[in-house]
Amino acid sequence: MNAAPEEPPEGTGQPHAPTDSPEPRVYLVGAGPGDPGLITTRGLELIERAEVILHDRLIPRSLLAVASPAALIIDVGKMPRGPSVSQSDTEALLLEHARAGRLVVRLKGGDPFVFGRGGEEALALSAAGIPFEVVPGVSAGVAAPAYAGIPVTHRDRASAVAFVTAHEDPGKPDSALDFGALAAFPGTLVFYMGVRELPAVVDRLIAAGRSPEEPAAVIERGTFPEQRVVSGRLADIDRIAAAAGIGPPAITVTGPVAALRDQLAWFENRPLAGLTVAVTRARESASVLAQRLRILGASVVEAPAIRMVPLPVEVPDLSAYDLVCLTSPTGVRLLFERLGETGRDARALAGARIAAIGPGTARVLSENGITADILPDRFVAEGLVSALGEIPVRRALIARAREARDVLPAALRERGAEVDVLALYETVAEPLRDEDKAAALAADYITFTSSSTVAYFLAAAGDHRGPEPSEDRPAPEAAGDRRGPEASEDRVPIGPRTVSIGPVTSATLRESGLDVDIEADRHDIDGLVAALLADARAHRE
């Protein structure tokens, strides 16, 4: 949440440390160049603990999402030729919150001490007698070239590298850059923040003796999914960048190593590079899918339409059952949490056959010391019914979501079994921010992993007539944030190609008036990703 600097953070329940405590109260943390996976574990730990976070403009939102809900989060970013928080105001905020005894994280792009004004902020803290700690980060000057396929050093081509800012303090009377020395430097030159100054930098380097034929490259938004790279001769690189519309933030690299990009480019060659995929599943389970997609090169929009709310239930004596069915990883986790609350563990399941609806559920069972006895070929309720076959079942427990379909319990009852359903959680609507809705609807693909993600996403996206309730798909409760989609004559136009995890989700999409562009053959996350990959390849051929 963004808030005015003078607003105190919500209570965390922790007493404030005295301002003269020797323990650091301010942490200057490098967030890395943009890819959220490049932050250090120490940096991530401090974001989670922080009571106040002052962050730069380009910090990935996913890093801020791990902060405590009670943390005060303040954007102190600087926009080129746009609204900015002054450096003096930023330093004043650091001092104000540190003196109030709050744990403050100053979250900075790249590394705090590499063209990040971290040195200025550390001096201000030192002068005020406030203890601080510096947590280094991956600098854009190394990471952006690496993501562009350019090693800044190479045994045969460059034994040295110089990092240079092309954007000096405008208040300085003279430039501190010695272009004669830079032109003669026997290695790679990496210029930060130099898009506007690039023509002047090129002219001065060549005038000072740098070869106009030297390979060069400009990397826009390095390590971000939308990274763009242009390359050419030093003499032409400013015109090439201008023609491509390259803008800040950007890194310029010049030197023989820049020619290696043709052989070493990897970032843009990933199978989903350049594509945006929206993920609508619950935030607590979206990370696995989102991470898989990011590794494959996609820019991921996390637009969770649902969340799982645990229900206050007591797990019965499991020794009374000869079959226990688990229908989701969330159900497994909550089952073991509830068992633990009463001093029980995996041994409570020792006397029963254990059925898992799919490999994700089986994996979480395995993490808790249980190997599933029954795993269907098709990861839907109908597949589990088929996998149970003629196995005799006297009494069964089905641990699941409250609003799940009744296919499995109905089938077992038809076979003469006594069936108890243990509702461990319910699926409720997750309010979506307007920007998340817009980004999801503008994506190349939008993924749906359950009927509830379809219904609640469409409800959040605007007026829409959702699927009619049926025996297999109960209507969401019409109360509070469990309210289902309201009826409307209008339907939401979905621009992206829809990706469904399986036939049940596909049926809900069609009942909602949407086409199913892609349906996974294997009805789990692996199958969904494989289907999306196949479609992306087909459209690029």
Side-chain angles (χ1 to χ4, degrees), residues 168-176:
E168 297 185 272
D169 185 344
K172 291 163 60 175
D174 299 300
S175 172

Side-chain angles (χ1 to χ4, degrees), residues 272 275 277 444-449 496-503 505-507 509-510 514-523 527-539:
L272 297 182
L275 297 174
V277 182
D444 298 292
Y445 293 93
I446 183 164
T447 61
F448 295 100
T449 56
R497 290 177 63 74
T498 57
V499 188
S500 164
I501 200 168
T505 302
S506 296
L509 281 163
R510 293 189 182 100
L514 300 177
D515 293 330
V516 178
D517 297 302
I518 306 161
E519 181 180 294
D521 292 329
R522 174 172 164 164
H523 313 318
L528 183 145
V529 171
L532 197 159
L533 276 170
D535 188 80
R537 289 192 191 101
H539 280 79

Side-chain angles (χ1 to χ4, degrees), residues 106-283:
R106 173 67 174 100
L107 193 58
K108 305 176 72 65
D111 180 275
F113 279 10
V114 180
F115 304 126
R117 301 194 185 183
E120 298 172 41
E121 292 165 7
L123 286 170
L125 293 165
S126 178
I130 295 173
F132 63 90
E133 178 182 318
V134 179
V135 180
V138 178
S139 176
V142 173
Y147 272 51
I150 301 171
V152 293
T153 64
H154 185 279
R155 187 169 60 174
D156 299 327
R157 303 193 184 208
S159 297
V161 58
F163 299 106
V164 187
T165 178
H167 185 76
E168 297 185 272
D169 185 344
K172 291 163 60 175
D174 299 300
S175 172
L177 298 181
D178 183 340
F179 277 90
L182 291 174
F185 183 75
T188 307
L189 298 178
V190 178
F191 289 90
Y192 288 65
M193 302 174 287
V195 175
R196 290 205 310 266
E197 292 78 13
L198 188 55
V201 167
V202 169
D203 288 347
R204 295 184 71 178
L205 278 175
I206 293 173
R210 198 83 175 182
S211 171
E213 301 299 318
E214 181 173 82
V218 182
I219 308 149
E220 176 187 272
R221 294 185 68 82
T223 81
F224 285 88
E226 58 270 27
Q227 170 182 298
R228 293 198 298 153
V229 185
V230 295
S231 56
R233 303 184 314 148
L234 175 61
D236 304 323
I237 196 62
D238 56 331
R239 291 186 290 275
I240 293 171
I246 296 293
I251 293 286
T252 299
V253 183
T254 181
V257 292
L260 295 174
R261 170 171 163 73
D262 291 340
Q263 298 167 259
L264 302 182
W266 60 273
F267 189 72
E268 304 94 324
N269 293 333
R270 295 175 299 166
L272 297 182
L275 297 174
T276 301
V277 182
V279 174
T280 59
R281 69 192 317 220
R283 192 179 302 280

Side-chain angles (χ1 to χ4, degrees), residues 58-439:
L58 295 175
I59 298 301
R61 236 184 62 213
S62 58
L63 291 184
L64 298 176
V66 307
S68 164
L72 176 64
I73 300 178
I74 306 170
D75 184 347
V76 293
K78 296 170 177 58
M79 178 80 73
R81 296 180 177 177
S84 302
V85 176
S86 71
Q87 185 62 28
S88 60
D89 285 345
T90 298
E91 291 169 11
L93 284 167
L94 285 175
L95 299 180
E96 172 192 337
H97 289 292
R99 284 170 174 153
R102 300 170 189 132
L103 193 155
V104 183
V105 165
R106 173 67 174 100
L107 193 58
K108 305 176 72 65
D111 180 275
F113 279 10
V114 180
F115 304 126
R117 301 194 185 183
E120 298 172 41
E121 292 165 7
L123 286 170
L125 293 165
S126 178
I130 295 173
F132 63 90
E133 178 182 318
V134 179
V135 180
V138 178
S139 176
V142 173
Y147 272 51
I150 301 171
V152 293
T153 64
H154 185 279
R155 187 169 60 174
D156 299 327
R157 303 193 184 208
S159 297
V161 58
F163 299 106
V164 187
T165 178
H167 185 76
E168 297 185 272
D169 185 344
K172 291 163 60 175
D174 299 300
S175 172
L177 298 181
D178 183 340
F179 277 90
L182 291 174
F185 183 75
T188 307
L189 298 178
V190 178
F191 289 90
Y192 288 65
M193 302 174 287
V195 175
R196 290 205 310 266
E197 292 78 13
L198 188 55
V201 167
V202 169
D203 288 347
R204 295 184 71 178
L205 278 175
I206 293 173
R210 198 83 175 182
S211 171
E213 301 299 318
E214 181 173 82
V218 182
I219 308 149
E220 176 187 272
R221 294 185 68 82
T223 81
F224 285 88
E226 58 270 27
Q227 170 182 298
R228 293 198 298 153
V229 185
V230 295
S231 56
R233 303 184 314 148
L234 175 61
D236 304 323
I237 196 62
D238 56 331
R239 291 186 290 275
I240 293 171
I246 296 293
I251 293 286
T252 299
V253 183
T254 181
V257 292
L260 295 174
R261 170 171 163 73
D262 291 340
Q263 298 167 259
L264 302 182
W266 60 273
F267 189 72
E268 304 94 324
N269 293 333
R270 295 175 299 166
L272 297 182
L275 297 174
T276 301
V277 182
V279 174
T280 59
R281 69 192 317 220
R283 192 179 302 280
E284 57 266 27
S285 56
S287 58
V288 173
L289 175 57
Q291 182 63 10
R292 288 281 303 281
L293 295 169
R294 289 188 180 106
I295 289 171
L296 292 166
S299 176
V300 177
V301 175
E302 295 194 35
I306 60 172
R307 61 187 167 90
M308 311 302 188
V309 178
L311 295 173
V313 296
E314 183 177 339
V315 178
D317 179 4
L318 297 179
S319 66
Y321 300 94
D322 51 350
L323 175 68
V324 175
C325 299
L326 285 307
T327 63
S328 71
T330 299
V332 176
R333 283 189 284 267
L334 290 173
L335 176 66
F336 278 91
E337 283 182 20
R338 295 291 176 265
L339 287 172
E341 289 169 359
T342 54
R344 290 176 286 175
D345 56 22
R347 289 171 292 183
L349 293 159
R353 280 193 179 94
I354 307 301
I357 200 167
T361 303
R363 191 177 304 117
V364 181
L365 273 168
S366 179
E367 291 169 1
N368 286 277
I370 297 291
T371 300
D373 300 298
I374 302 160
L375 186 64
D377 294 327
R378 294 184 303 124
F379 311 137
V380 291
E382 291 82 355
L384 188 51
V385 169
S386 178
L388 288 168
E390 299 303 317
I391 295 173
V393 180
R394 178 182 57 82
R395 190 177 182 195
L397 179 73
I398 301 173
R400 65 176 206 182
R402 184 166 69 178
E403 61 281 342
R405 300 188 304 146
D406 286 331
V407 170
L408 180 57
L412 289 172
R413 288 180 181 126
E414 285 180 9
R415 295 180 184 181
E418 181 182 347
V419 179
D420 293 329
V421 173
L422 180 65
L424 290 163
Y425 62 97
E426 62 180 345
T427 303
V428 303
E430 179 75 84
L432 282 179
R433 304 187 329 159
D434 289 342
E435 51 264 50
D436 291 335
K437 299 174 199 174

Side-chain angles (χ1 to χ4, degrees), residues 9-25:
E10 295 175 28
T12 61
Q14 299 296 321
H16 293 318
T19 55
D20 60 352
S21 168
E23 182 180 341
R25 300 305 298 167

